[in-house]
Amino acid sequence: MTRALINAPKTARRGEIVEIRAMLAHPMETGFRTGTMGKAIPRDIINRFVCTWNGEEIFSADLFPAIAANPYLAFTAVATESGTIAFAWTGDDGETRTAETEITVT
Amino acid sequence: MTGRAPRLLVGLLAACLAGSSAPAGDMVDKRSGADFMSPENRAMQADDMSNPGMFAVLDGEQLWNRPEGANGRSCAGCHGEAATSMRGVAARYPAFDERSERPIDLAGRIGECRRTRQEASPLPHESPELIALTAYVAHQSRGMPISPPQDERLAPFRDNGRRLYERRIGQLDLSCASCHDARSGERLGGSVMPQGHPTAYPLYRLEWQAVGSLQRRLRNCMIGVRAEAFAFGAPEIVELELYLMERAAGLPLETPGVRP
């Protein structure tokens, strides 16, 4: 189950610059820490984030172990057409967590 | 000229309020730990879309509505909408528990309710579920002033909490008061020492990269002065919480807070 907080406007004027913010609940375990009995805790991070607007990629990022838990990304885009803004976070576990939000451009 | 009289009035009012509500800590200018944070951290707490503590609140909302235990009842099954039934509750805790005849904190009360009413397996201290439920319940009181119950049965426990607060412990021989009363606002290493008011628990601590309880924070401090920390749920740690809430009376609750 994806636990994410998405903040993007519901409506925008054509040509307007909108800010999109996305935060995913994730421990971002670095792989450098040790747990009980000094055993290394295996690395488990989100390593790739992609945001698409109606299927077209508008922003992506590679993430690394130094990024804190619950990675938070904020970026801007120019509103061109109504549709779906989709978010995908891919982790070391190979799983992709997704979320999406609708926007109406007038 | 026009601005002067109201300002004077506000000043007087503030002085009166401070005079009447400064019982325990002898502290006139009470400030939340948030006031000592960087603007960036304050902004992180202020915006629910960037406050990672909100994940715990959202998880708590789901747990609130989920049936548990032999009775198959959810929290909502008895208490209904938390937004109304739990409003102001966290501002009054720790409260006196009739059964154990001791003070009990909010997480303790949730655990008790789970054990006796839901007949469900207990949630361990600091488990994500217990933290989430506590955060969800405390979140309903956000913005409300901390108002400890005027229950005289609590007085001896509160006094003991105050003694613990003022007692020097550990290899560093420091009491809570040594830093949080005498030197608040000054620095310990790189970080500012706040006044130690528990206004935002459970809170997201950047150092923990997780949401944790006041008990976890208190244990951190005890380990920091190289003392043997009280166990989670120990009577002493609840008494300390009780005194700290009395000391913070009047400050608004911020749950879920963000702290460095």
Side-chain angles (χ1 to χ4, degrees):
Chain A
M1 190 191 70
T2 309
R3 291 157 68 229
L5 290 172
I6 306 291
N7 191 4
K10 292 276 159 241
T11 58
R13 288 187 312 278
R14 196 171 305 278
E16 187 183 341
I17 296 172
V18 293
E19 189 184 33
I20 300 163
R21 294 182 283 167
M23 179 165 61
L24 178 77
H26 194 278
M28 295 293 280
E29 189 58 60
T30 61
F32 298 119
R33 298 199 309 159
T34 50
T36 47
M37 308 301 284
K39 220 172 142 231
I41 305 171
R43 187 181 116 158
D44 175 23
I45 66 165
I46 294 292
N47 52 44
R48 180 80 179 154
F49 169 76
V50 177
C51 175
T52 56
W53 190 313
N54 279 346
E56 188 190 344
E57 181 175 312
I58 56 165
F59 180 89
S60 66
D62 290 323
L63 284 77
F64 295 92
I67 292 170
N70 309 314
Y72 171 83
L73 291 157
F75 48 92
T76 54
V78 178
T80 50
E81 57 188 46
S82 300
T84 308
I85 306 173
F87 306 85
W89 295 262
T90 308
D92 283 344
D93 53 8
E95 274 184 41
T96 300
R97 299 134 182 93
T98 56
E100 54 184 50
T101 177
E102 299 293 323
I103 186 166
T104 310
V105 178
T106 51
Chain B
M1 268 319 276
T2 45
R4 195 165 183 182
R7 212 177 305 150
L8 194 68
L9 201 69
V10 168
L12 272 173
L13 195 68
C16 291
L17 283 174
S20 62
S21 69
D26 308 324
M27 200 171 268
V28 182
D29 178 28
K30 284 189 202 177
R31 288 169 67 194
S32 154
D35 284 4
F36 296 88
M37 297 198 301
S38 68
E40 291 81 3
N41 288 350
R42 276 204 297 272
M44 192 175 175
Q45 173 175 315
D47 179 2
D48 283 349
M49 285 294 164
S50 71
N51 182 342
M54 286 308 289
F55 285 124
V57 172
L58 295 174
D59 290 349
E61 185 175 7
Q62 291 193 345
L63 291 169
W64 179 265
N65 293 305
R66 196 169 78 191
E68 287 281 342
N71 275 344
R73 295 206 103 159
S74 66
C75 305
C78 291
H79 297 286
E81 280 289 319
T84 47
S85 65
M86 290 295 124
R87 184 154 172 75
V89 169
R92 299 194 293 267
Y93 268 78
F96 192 79
D97 177 35
E98 305 280 352
R99 196 189 58 80
S100 63
E101 300 189 324
R102 295 197 49 82
I104 191 166
D105 65 4
L106 188 56
R109 167 63 74 214
I110 291 169
E112 268 300 288
C113 213
R114 202 179 147 84
R115 195 176 65 82
T116 58
R117 308 267 190 256
Q118 290 183 308
E119 296 178 29
S121 56
L123 294 172
H125 293 288
E126 294 301 303
S127 61
E129 292 86 6
L130 185 58
I131 292 284
L133 268 172
T134 314
Y136 179 62
V137 171
H139 180 64
Q140 310 306 323
S141 307
R142 183 155 76 167
M144 297 179 76
I146 292 172
S147 40
Q150 300 303 314
D151 187 336
E152 57 192 37
R153 292 173 297 180
L154 287 171
F157 300 104
R158 194 171 280 146
D159 288 346
N160 200 33
R162 180 179 193 150
R163 269 196 294 280
L164 291 166
Y165 181 85
E166 288 168 350
R167 194 175 75 193
R168 288 177 177 273
I169 53 169
Q171 288 180 322
L172 298 190
D173 202 27
L174 289 169
S175 69
C176 310
S178 316
C179 291
H180 297 288
D181 280 351
R183 300 192 178 278
S184 68
E186 294 177 33
R187 278 171 183 277
L188 175 69
S191 39
V192 181
M193 289 182 282
Q195 293 175 357
H197 294 303
T199 55
Y201 286 91
L203 55 75
Y204 189 89
R205 196 157 178 238
L206 300 178
E207 187 187 312
W208 295 335
Q209 303 257 305
V211 181
S213 70
L214 175 56
Q215 293 197 1
R216 180 172 177 189
R217 186 68 192 86
L218 291 174
R219 282 171 49 86
N220 268 192
C221 251
M222 290 177 214
I223 293 162
V225 299
R226 298 183 203 162
E228 190 176 335
F230 297 121
F232 282 111
E236 291 88 349
I237 212 162
V238 178
E239 286 164 4
L240 251 175
E241 288 183 273
L242 183 67
Y243 170 67
L244 287 176
M245 286 300 263
E246 171 73 23
R247 186 171 164 273
L251 285 173
L253 276 177
E254 301 160 30
T255 311
V258 172
R259 292 291 184 274

